[in-house]
Amino acid sequence: MTLRAAGESGEARAASAADAPRAPLVPLVAGLGARRGVPVSDVLELLAASCAAAGYAVGQVTALATVAAKAAEPGLTGAARELGVPLRSFPAAALAAVRVPEPSAAAAAAVGTPSVAEAAALLAAGPGAALAAGKRKSARATCALAVGL
């Protein structure tokens, strides 16, 4: 890609990574599961690691998503606030209806759905969404990334 320099010469120069816009080309949504009391820093660290492993920048995330039972969890609401993105939540029954590659008996027992992170990411990214990165776990949270089409 070439951009015109802002001088009188009109010479073209190659765009650097710093010149490129940080907006995503498609919606990138992070689905999050969390244990009670998870710190904002843990959520943000896990999100950063998940994005980096999948080749995305955290700044490309357009929304966070979770199960309704965790929608008021301070670690999740704080992460959304710090990133400047909405935190969307879905009822456990809606998440349970989403097919995911790695369902969890522990999640099903805790919140009534076998998937929080993957299913929430897929639902929030919209119809036709696909996982960009399967779930990644830390000690107190789970993250999955989905892209909308």
Side-chain angles (χ1 to χ4, degrees):
M1 166 199 265
T2 351
L3 298 177
R4 291 255 175 227
E8 290 182 24
S9 69
E11 293 178 20
R13 66 176 173 85
S16 71
D19 294 332
R22 297 312 248 171
L25 298 175
V26 294
L28 177 65
V29 177
L32 297 165
R35 291 187 182 194
R36 181 175 298 142
V38 66
V40 172
S41 60
D42 285 8
V43 174
L44 293 174
E45 287 173 18
L46 177 60
L47 179 58
S50 296
C51 285
Y56 292 97
V58 174
Q60 291 179 274
V61 174
T62 59
L64 304 182
T66 194
V67 64
K70 298 292 182 171
E73 182 62 44
L76 299 181
T77 59
R81 186 172 38 259
E82 187 158 325
L83 295 170
V85 300
L87 174 62
R88 299 192 54 206
S89 64
F90 299 93
L95 297 178
V98 178
R99 291 182 55 112
V100 297
E102 295 185 57
S104 165
V111 293
T113 176
S115 175
V116 174
E118 291 172 322
L122 287 166
L123 280 181
L131 286 176
K135 66 183 172 183
R136 184 181 191 97
K137 299 177 184 179
S138 70
R140 302 185 75 171
T142 305
C143 180
L145 302 173
V147 292
L149 302 177

